[in-house]
Structures are given as structure tokens and as C-alpha cells.
Amino acid sequence: MQLLIVKDEAEFGQTAARLVCEFLAQKPESTLVFPTGNTPLSMYEELVAQFASEKVSFSRATLVELDDYYGIALQDPRNLFAWLQNIFLRQVDFRPVRLFRFNTEAEDAAAEAARMESILQAHGGIDLLVLGLGPNGHIGFNEPGSELLGATRVVNLTHESLISNARYWGEIDNVPSQGFTLGLNVLRKAAKTILLVNGSHKAGILKQMVEGPITDLLPATYLREMPNVLVLANAAAASLLSRKPSLLNEHD
Ligand code: GLP
């Protein structure tokens, strides 16, 4: 696992977007899995800017949704795919037929989860996985207690995740209690993974993730056993790490 530390939000977004663009330049027909949340906002902003200046195209790429709230329709502002469409997908040139989302209203959740896994399988798995880090160490909605070989499924969100997601939806009662997530069984096979960690409120969990024991109580620690993982953190998020690599811009 490689750790890259940048100093501020602008550099964070630019670096994340540059890594995505470099990856797509190598393999334009990549299968991508991208996160929602606050953390990747500056990356999406930069990717949209790069697309506008014709430096990147997503027209040959496929995107498979990482996670979403179960029971929340696409028309609901809380739907995570709708959020991603507004922030990013509609502003670049993905082909609609190559976008795959969880049917959050599926009655048979197990069949829907299996359908998403089979889509990934048909595309040869994930080429580039970009993740955020949950405040309790979750990745996607793989909450503490998730097994390394856990499948794509509906999970009950932990109280900590409900509290942290309440800031988006006003109050905790507005946060859906269940979510679909791609399972660690498929995430762990991604050819390349970039974990984005931003802000002083993530410093404690990043330290545990990098320096603590590998445990299912902190699913992000499994990233340490995966091939080709890069953690991109800003200085605030990296502030509690015992051993820090130099700031990225010192090498530029
Ligand atoms: C959410 C999502 C994750 C996201 C994480 C961090 O619950 N399920 O996919 O990466 O929490 O969110 P944020 O970037 O807003 O801190």
C-alpha cells in the first residue's frame, strides 16, 4: 500500500483526478467504481474541468455503482446514483448503456445484488476502484463486521454511519437504515484502488487503518492486503500518522 499526502483541497482534487485520467489514458475501456460523499467532490470538479478542456473522455468506460440506499427511488434526492449523476456523470461523456446502478426498489434484494455482481463479472471485474473512508472504517457500505469474502448485498447501516450521513439529510430519521453495497469479495480484486481521505475528522480512523491491526472491525484495513492500493490523504487527515511520507509537492 502506497501513501501519498497532499497539502490542501485543491491539490487533493487535482491529484485524484490526475490519477484517474492517467489510468483511463492507459485503458480507456476501464470498468470504474467511484464513491459518493463529501470526500470526492473536488476530484469530480476537476474531472469535469479536464473533460471540458478535452483532456479526458469516459466514452469507452463503464461505471458500476459502489453503494446506495435500499428502498430509495432514483427520483429521491437521497438516491446516491442520482447524486453522482448530478455531480459528475451528466457533465461528462459516459454512454448511458455503460452505467450500471443498483435498482434500489428491487423487491428481491438478493437477486439484485447478484445481478450487479454478474455485471462486474461480465466486464472482467473492476479496473479502477476509488473509495472514500467511512468514519467507522467502512468502505462502500461494508460496515464493521463485514467479512473479507462478503458478497454484494443489502446491509443494515450502523448507528455511526446513520449519524454521519444525517448531515446530508437534515436529521437521523431521514437517513435510510439499509444500503446495497458491492461486497469485499469483488472490491478486493480491483486491479487498482485509490482510497481518498480528507480532513482532520478522518485523522483518527486513517491512523487506525494504516497502523492498527487488520480486522473485520475496520473493513478498510483489508486494503492493506490488496494489490496496487494508493491512499491519497490531505495533510489534515494524515496528521496523526506516526510515519509520514513527504508532502507530494516537495517532490514536484
Ligand atoms: C458513506 C458512503 C461511502 C463514503 C463514506 C465517506 O456512508 N457509503 O461510500 O465513501 O461514507 O463519506 P464522506 O466522504 O462524506 O466522509
Side-chain angles (χ1 to χ4, degrees):
M1 191 173 78
Q2 202 192 337
L3 183 60
L4 201 58
I5 302 175
V6 296
K7 67 175 185 309
D8 56 25
E9 184 66 27
E11 206 178 348
F12 186 78
Q14 282 159 11
T15 306
R18 176 173 56 76
L19 294 169
V20 171
C21 292
E22 283 172 3
F23 194 92
L24 277 172
Q26 292 289 318
K27 190 174 181 187
E29 67 283 5
S30 289
T31 298
L32 311 171
V33 172
F34 281 1
T36 53
N38 268 336
T39 309
L41 284 174
S42 57
M43 174 185 83
Y44 290 133
E45 205 177 304
E46 183 64 22
L47 285 174
V48 170
Q50 295 283 326
F51 169 72
S53 53
E54 296 181 10
K55 295 199 180 103
V56 66
S57 168
F58 300 87
S59 63
R60 290 161 67 189
T62 294
L63 182 130
V64 179
E65 190 179 23
L66 171 63
D67 56 8
D68 210 330
Y69 295 116
Y70 186 44
I72 301 298
L74 188 61
Q75 297 72 22
D76 188 307
R78 294 172 295 177
N79 182 285
L80 293 180
F81 191 78
W83 181 94
L84 194 60
Q85 277 182 317
N86 290 335
I87 294 283
F88 176 53
L89 302 177
R90 281 210 189 98
Q91 305 190 51
V92 296
D93 63 345
F94 278 102
R95 292 188 54 204
V97 291
R98 296 209 184 109
L99 298 174
F100 296 94
R101 71 173 188 94
F102 285 102
N103 174 6
T104 45
E105 296 175 283
E107 275 176 31
D108 187 341
E112 177 58 11
R115 184 186 71 88
M116 288 293 271
E117 280 206 5
S118 64
I119 288 167
L120 270 178
Q121 217 164 19
H123 285 84
I126 304 169
D127 293 304
L128 177 61
L129 170 64
V130 183
L131 293 170
L133 178 61
N136 59 359
H138 72 218
I139 45 180
F141 273 143
N142 290 285
E143 295 279 34
S146 297
E147 290 166 24
L148 181 56
L149 297 176
T152 298
R153 68 205 181 283
V154 167
V155 300
N156 294 323
L157 302 185
T158 60
H159 189 63
E160 203 172 355
S161 292
L162 296 178
I163 291 174
S164 109
N165 290 356
R167 67 203 144 111
Y168 302 118
W169 316 120
E171 52 181 295
I172 195 159
D173 289 348
N174 292 337
V175 185
S177 58
Q178 292 188 308
F180 272 115
T181 185
L182 294 182
L184 292 166
N185 62 335
V186 289
L187 299 182
R188 75 190 180 96
K189 293 188 210 138
K192 182 177 176 75
T193 300
I194 301 171
L195 177 73
L196 302 175
V197 196
N198 194 345
S200 56
H201 63 298
K202 296 281 175 77
I205 196 72
L206 180 62
K207 183 179 173 68
Q208 280 185 58
M209 187 233 140
V210 174
E211 298 174 5
I214 295 176
T215 165
D216 66 350
L217 297 177
L218 209 162
T221 56
Y222 288 140
L223 293 173
R224 284 161 44 194
E225 293 181 327
M226 283 164 46
N228 210 359
V229 174
L230 172 75
V231 178
L232 175 64
N234 72 348
S239 59
L240 296 178
L241 295 180
S242 308
R243 280 179 293 130
K244 294 192 241 323
S246 311
L247 282 176
L248 176 64
N249 61 337
E250 289 172 8
H251 298 290
D252 285 347

